[in-house]
């Protein structure tokens, strides 16, 4: 991937921002209370990063407010991120103990560790019957995710977002997003030969023996770097089990793609450790956000009021929805639509592990980056796209692990709880029954042909199917319902949602390429029609 001058400039700005104590990256001075900027972007994940780049390119001075840190300076061990298998304070957002998705091994409490509270990179947000993993830091979910970069099936995309012109998306905005994100494909010879993909080859063979189709999954992890890791000429990251607590090398997270380019325009500034609390509107139609600048202990150093003409919410499905609900239901933005808070779903996420026979080892060495999936989406009785996930424990486990993305029509909604000042999600565990049934029907077939069974020891109790957490929160501010067809919030001018909150609960594949492409589409319209410089 060639690197543009603009991106180089941006990477320089990020390097300069990596010194201890610096929380302002970019050309503007640190925001002070009472400041006014033409455009504010809340969050720095996919949707936010696209908005910032396109605003910066259009010459609009833009400030990004991100509650997490910049992850560019090495810690005590010379590394930016801690290892998945040896987590420390950098792993999770203000926790006393890690909360990894695979909780136990042989029912033993050997996975999670006590840690010191710190603005770590992964958060697990708990609601009554569902918890949601999200990334915290400059780059949002791109810092912690598996990098799988999948364009959804056109037919399903059209079903999910019928009002979006699919021709436009598939001809223009998906290719644009894929290019800007730096998506690449694994070399099939490397896949066939690598010691680190035995887990995927075994599970792929088993699927094929069951009559199921498999497909390679593109990724933003640089596969040339991975090959050099295996050859011993580059420092190991994916091959050193790094992923959910961040990759020290190899991954084209947003700080290496969109956000670097945005900073390189010279018009975009990022304020880190800045958590937006609420938003309101002035009489003249401009907006004011209240934002807490926190330190690394979580203490509020300063609470500021920053004004703007154009306000873009890119705080993710949970963050954007909460800010909007709070604004509507406290009367700050009373004309927001009744649909704000509606249409949420976990993208049908279910995890499960199978126990292979002793004759089918999956490998002590495993790349943390998944590259193969079982595609059974055409099976109308139980649509499943199941990624073959690693268990990079460092020893042989005989486990085949899957992240199944299933079709599930169930949706939930958020309501604002004035007592806690938080958004509450009403998703019930039993709403995942259709997803578990679909995942089970697929994996039962594999167990039958392979004469194998499920692992019941991995999710903290006896369950074979993890149905109480997700990685793909979608919805809460659905395009065409709470907003117009381009993410403009109904009831207000110059107020936009630009992230996963726009997508109604399900996509059939991992979501970040779609979130990026949709944001590109919406920003093209918004820059052309709403923004005057
Ligand atoms: P997101 O990336 O979540 O960014 C929101 C940002 O806003 C974050 O940086 C927050 O810290 C920040 N924020 C929130 N509230 C505030 C506030 N009040 N004030 C200031 N800042 C705030 O949003 N997807 C894939 O497509 N492929 C994968 O392989 C994949 N693997 C995943 C693995 C894990 C462990 C996780 C957690 C997620 C994974 N995902 C994957 C999901 C993907 O990362 C997610 O859909 C996107 O990151 C969502 O993008 P958004 O722009 O909606």
């Amino acid at each position: 991937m060639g690197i543009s001058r603009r991106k180089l400039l941006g990477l320089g700005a990020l390097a300069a921002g990596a010194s201890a104590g610096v929380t302002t990256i970019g050309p503007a001075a640190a925001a002070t209370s009472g400041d006014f900027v033409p455009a504010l972007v809340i969050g720095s994940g996919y949707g936010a990063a696209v908005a910032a780049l396109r605003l910066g390119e259009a010459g609009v001075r833009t400030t990004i407010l991100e509650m997490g840190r910049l992850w560019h300076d090495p810690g005590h061990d010379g590394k930016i991120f801690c290892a998945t298998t040896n987590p420390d304070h950098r792993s999770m957002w203000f926790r006393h103990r890690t909360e990894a998705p695979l909780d136990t091994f042989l029912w033993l409490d050997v996975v999670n560790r006590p840690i010191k509270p710190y603005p770590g990179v992964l958060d697990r947000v708990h609601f009554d019957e569902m918890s949601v993993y999200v990334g915290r830091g400059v780059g949002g979910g791109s810092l912690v995710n598996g990098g799988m970069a999948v364009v959804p099936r056109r037919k399903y995309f059209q079903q999910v977002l019928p009002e979006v012109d699919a021709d436009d998306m598939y001809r223009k905005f998906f290719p644009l997003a894929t290019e800007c994100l730096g998506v690449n494909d694994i070399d099939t010879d490397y896949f066939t030969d690598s010691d680190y993909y035995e887990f995927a080859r075994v599970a792929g063979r088993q699927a094929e023996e069951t009559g199921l189709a498999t497909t390679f999954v593109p990724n933003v992890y640089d596969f040339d770097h991975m090959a050099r890791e295996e050859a011993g000429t580059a420092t190991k990251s994916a091959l050193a089990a790094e992923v959910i607590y961040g990759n020290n090398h190899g991954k084209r997270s947003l700080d290496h793609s969109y956000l670097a380019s945005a900073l390189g325009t010279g018009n975009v500034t990022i304020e880190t450790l800045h958590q937006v609390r609420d938003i309101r509107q002035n009489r003249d139609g401009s907006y004011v956000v209240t934002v807490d600048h926190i330190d690394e202990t979580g203490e509020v150093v300063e609470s500021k009021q920053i004004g703007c003409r154009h306000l873009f919410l890119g705080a993710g499905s949970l963050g954007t929805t909460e800010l909007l609900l709070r604004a509507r239901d406290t009367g700050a933005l009373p004309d927001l639509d009744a649909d704000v808070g509606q249409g949420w779903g976990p993208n049908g996420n279910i995890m499960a592990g199978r126990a292979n026979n002793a004759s089918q080892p999956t490998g002590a060495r495993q790349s943390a980056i998944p590259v193969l999936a079982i595609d059974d989406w055409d099976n109308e009785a139980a649509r499943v796209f199941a990624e073959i996930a690693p268990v990079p424990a460092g020893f042989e486990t005989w486990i085949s692990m899957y992240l199944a993305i299933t079709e599930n029509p169930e949706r939930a909604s958020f309501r604002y709880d004035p007592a806690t000042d938080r958004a509450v999600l009403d998703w019930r565990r039993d709403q995942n029954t259709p997803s578990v049934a679909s995942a089970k029907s697929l994996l039962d077939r594999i167990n039958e042909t392979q004469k194998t069974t499920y692992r019941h020891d991995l999710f903290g109790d006896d369950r074979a199917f993890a149905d109480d957490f997700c990685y793909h929160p979608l919805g809460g501010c659905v395009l065409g319902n709470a907003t117009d067809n381009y993410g403009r919030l109904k009831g207000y001018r110059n107020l936009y949602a630009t992230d996963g909150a726009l997508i109604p609960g399900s996509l059939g594949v991992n979501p970040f390429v779609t979130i990026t492409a949709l944001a590109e589409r919406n920003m093209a319209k918004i820059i052309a029609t709403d923004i005057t410089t």
Side-chain angles (χ1 to χ4, degrees):
M1 191 175 60
I3 188 155
S4 66
R5 185 169 172 274
R6 178 180 283 170
K7 198 181 283 180
L8 270 178
L9 285 172
L11 289 169
L14 285 160
S19 326
V22 174
T23 57
T24 304
I25 306 145
T32 55
S33 209
D35 277 1
F36 183 90
V37 283
L40 270 182
V41 177
I42 304 174
S44 62
Y46 293 91
V50 171
L53 170 59
R54 299 308 170 202
L55 287 162
E57 269 180 350
V60 182
R61 279 193 304 111
T62 301
T63 295
I64 294 177
L65 301 171
E66 166 56 52
M67 66 193 271
R69 325 176 20 199
L70 172 66
W71 291 94
H72 273 230
D73 51 325
H76 58 281
D77 53 0
K79 293 186 172 180
I80 294 167
F81 297 107
C82 62
T84 316
T85 45
N86 189 21
D88 62 23
H89 62 285
R90 291 169 289 187
S91 60
M92 292 204 70
W93 181 256
F94 294 109
R95 285 296 192 290
H96 289 280
R97 189 176 158 78
T98 58
E99 299 180 22
L102 300 190
D103 194 16
T104 45
F105 186 78
L106 298 173
W107 290 281
L108 296 171
D109 185 14
V110 290
V111 179
N112 287 306
R113 303 265 175 93
I115 50 169
K116 193 180 85 183
Y118 182 80
V121 72
L122 181 69
D123 200 356
R124 181 172 177 158
V125 181
H126 293 276
F127 298 102
D128 279 355
E129 300 194 29
M130 170 59 73
S131 59
V132 182
Y133 283 100
V134 292
R136 299 276 181 233
V138 175
S142 76
L143 298 167
V144 297
N145 66 32
M148 286 174 277
V150 194
V151 175
R153 287 180 171 228
R154 184 174 169 134
K155 201 166 155 210
Y156 194 61
F157 176 82
Q158 283 174 298
Q159 190 181 317
V160 172
L161 289 169
E163 65 281 18
V164 174
D165 180 347
D167 270 349
D168 237 21
M169 290 296 290
Y170 283 79
R171 276 204 217 119
K172 194 167 168 193
F173 295 112
F174 280 121
L176 176 64
T178 300
E179 165 75 22
C180 294
L181 289 166
V183 176
N184 66 160
D185 295 297
I186 192 164
D187 180 273
T188 49
D189 289 340
Y190 174 70
F191 174 78
T192 308
D193 295 341
S194 169
D195 280 355
Y196 290 81
Y197 279 111
E198 180 65 3
F199 76 96
R201 291 192 297 267
V202 166
R205 262 197 313 272
Q206 295 174 335
E208 279 153 25
E209 284 165 16
T210 310
L212 292 159
T214 59
T215 181
F216 282 107
V217 179
N219 206 289
V220 293
Y221 198 90
D222 179 347
F223 286 115
D224 290 337
H225 190 278
M226 192 187 289
R228 291 198 299 277
E229 292 178 36
E230 188 153 3
T233 55
T235 310
K236 286 189 173 54
S237 179
L239 303 193
E242 291 178 356
V243 64
I244 60 168
Y245 300 138
N247 279 96
N248 283 299
H249 307 277
K251 196 204 254 180
R252 295 165 181 156
S253 47
L254 288 166
D255 46 329
H256 295 277
S257 61
Y258 273 98
L259 290 170
S261 301
L263 285 164
T265 65
N267 288 317
V268 175
T269 299
I270 306 176
E271 299 275 9
T272 65
L273 295 171
H274 275 58
Q275 184 164 20
V276 175
R277 294 290 175 194
D278 52 56
I279 56 186
R280 63 186 165 82
Q281 194 177 35
N282 288 320
R283 284 226 163 122
D284 65 359
S286 62
Y287 294 91
V288 181
V289 308
T290 306
V291 57
D292 290 343
H293 181 185
I294 59 169
D295 66 15
E296 292 191 342
T297 71
E299 287 296 311
V300 177
V301 183
E302 189 187 359
S303 195
K304 311 174 191 177
Q305 313 265 318
I306 304 176
C308 65
R309 179 156 323 285
H310 296 273
L311 180 56
F312 293 83
L313 283 89
S317 162
L318 305 184
T320 289
T321 307
E322 180 170 82
L323 287 168
L324 289 170
L325 268 183
R326 185 181 289 135
R328 187 189 66 196
D329 293 357
T330 58
L333 298 176
D335 296 332
L336 285 171
D337 199 87
D339 260 316
V340 169
Q342 305 295 310
W344 187 86
N347 201 22
N349 283 185
I350 298 290
M351 279 197 98
R354 290 179 37 259
N356 285 304
N357 298 319
S359 61
Q360 290 173 317
T362 47
R365 295 171 164 193
Q366 302 200 3
S367 169
I369 295 296
V371 291
L372 197 67
I374 302 169
D375 188 352
D376 201 31
W377 199 261
D378 285 334
N379 176 1
E380 280 178 28
R383 294 192 196 280
V384 183
F385 185 75
E387 268 129 18
I388 298 166
V391 183
F395 51 85
E396 179 58 56
T397 66
W398 286 277
I399 297 173
S400 286
M401 178 60 64
Y402 305 87
L403 169 63
I405 297 171
T406 61
E407 188 182 34
N408 184 344
E410 293 287 336
R411 296 289 174 267
S413 54
F414 293 92
R415 88 182 151 74
Y416 173 69
D417 175 11
T420 57
D421 193 31
R422 301 299 311 258
V424 179
L425 180 68
D426 68 4
W427 178 270
R428 294 183 325 275
R429 182 95 166 258
D430 64 16
Q431 289 180 275
N432 250 339
T433 306
S435 291
V436 172
S438 296
K440 183 169 184 314
S441 95
L442 179 117
L443 297 179
D444 278 355
R445 285 160 67 192
I446 301 178
N447 277 335
E448 209 171 298
T449 60
Q450 303 303 312
K451 314 234 172 313
T452 50
T453 178
Y454 291 104
R455 294 285 298 230
H456 291 266
D457 58 316
L458 304 173
F459 302 116
D461 51 25
D462 286 344
R463 279 171 307 154
F465 295 90
D467 59 353
D468 59 346
F469 63 78
C470 74
Y471 304 110
H472 301 165
L474 294 173
C477 182
V478 170
L479 190 87
N481 294 357
T483 74
D484 76 351
N485 195 19
Y486 292 93
R488 304 172 175 113
L489 265 303
K490 287 183 181 168
Y492 291 88
R493 279 168 59 88
N494 301 336
L495 180 65
Y496 312 89
T498 184
D499 54 24
L502 292 170
I503 298 170
S506 169
L507 255 183
V509 294
N510 320 59
F512 75 61
V513 173
T514 306
I515 294 170
T516 306
L518 195 62
E520 287 280 19
R521 165 199 179 264
N522 295 347
M523 286 309 295
K525 180 73 165 187
I526 290 162
I527 299 276
T529 56
D530 298 13
I531 309 273
T532 45
T533 48

